Amino acid sequence: MSRDERLEFRARQRITGRIVRVAENDQISRLDRIAEPRRIDAGTHALASDRRVRLFEEINGYICLHLADSGLSVEEIARRHGVSRSYLYTVFETMLGCHPAEYIRQLRLRQACRLLKSGRWLLSEVAAESGFSSLSVFSRSFRRMTGVSPSEYMRSAAAGQAEETASF
């Protein structure tokens, strides 16, 4: 491996690490708002569904670490954590009010928004770094969630007009 290749590899590692930390911090604040009220059983003041909360926290960490992996699937997550798909869906529906695949897509699109705002990435690189299997899948998902194409979003970000969309 040449010196330039090593430098590029290290830069990508640092960027990926920063993205994961940002995604984790973003999800911690969301969990504080969403999951915390469901943890205490009002009748007994004991931890409610403690097993589910711990499982969700483990799974959320796993998702954040593997977000850029386009092969990340609900089946893989369920298998790795020793639960059925239906139980995984129940946990996500209880904790967040959405399905696991939808949650993963939302995280990926938020990460894509951050990368597009930076203006330092090509669309294909943003798609790959955000865990989408192809540029067309990324563009279609992005347009559905934001109402604009990734390239339009990037242009508006460059002009200082892009906002984090509240729809997801």
Side-chain angles (χ1 to χ4, degrees):
M1 187 181 282
S2 73
R3 182 175 185 273
D4 290 339
E5 290 172 329
R6 284 193 308 270
L7 290 174
E8 183 178 333
F9 178 75
R10 287 184 193 141
R12 284 205 182 272
Q13 281 183 319
R14 283 194 299 274
I15 290 169
T16 303
R18 287 181 189 144
I19 291 169
V20 167
R21 284 191 299 279
V22 168
E24 288 171 344
N25 291 339
D26 191 37
Q27 290 315 304
I28 288 169
S29 66
R30 181 181 171 128
L31 285 176
D32 289 344
R33 290 191 316 269
I34 295 173
E36 199 60 36
R38 294 191 174 127
R39 290 182 103 157
I40 304 298
D41 180 7
T44 63
H45 299 289
L47 287 178
S49 65
D50 192 48
R51 181 175 178 262
R52 281 187 182 172
V53 172
R54 282 195 311 266
L55 177 65
F56 176 79
E57 289 170 350
E58 278 180 41
I59 291 171
N60 189 54
Y62 180 81
I63 290 170
C64 288
L65 289 175
H66 296 88
L67 197 59
D69 178 10
S70 64
L72 183 65
S73 68
V74 175
E75 291 79 15
E76 177 193 345
I77 293 168
R79 183 179 43 79
R80 284 209 180 253
H81 290 86
V83 297
S84 68
R85 280 185 57 205
S86 61
Y87 185 72
L88 185 62
Y89 273 82
T90 301
V91 169
F92 270 78
E93 193 65 41
T94 302
M95 299 301 292
L96 297 176
C98 69
H99 298 292
E102 180 184 344
Y103 176 69
I104 292 168
R105 188 172 30 261
Q106 289 175 359
L107 286 178
R108 286 177 169 165
L109 289 169
R110 284 185 181 172
Q111 179 174 326
C113 284
R114 285 189 286 271
L115 294 174
L116 289 170
K117 279 184 180 181
S118 75
R120 292 177 277 186
W121 300 78
L122 298 174
L123 288 180
S124 58
E125 292 173 328
V126 171
E129 288 294 321
S130 300
F132 287 92
S133 57
S134 70
L135 182 56
S136 62
V137 170
F138 166 64
S139 296
R140 191 170 41 251
S141 295
F142 194 90
R143 184 181 289 277
R144 281 186 189 146
M145 294 300 275
T146 64
V148 297
S149 71
S151 55
E152 290 170 5
Y153 186 88
M154 192 163 44
R155 278 193 295 272
S156 65
Q161 300 168 352
E163 296 179 17
E164 189 76 29
T165 57
S167 64
F168 65 96

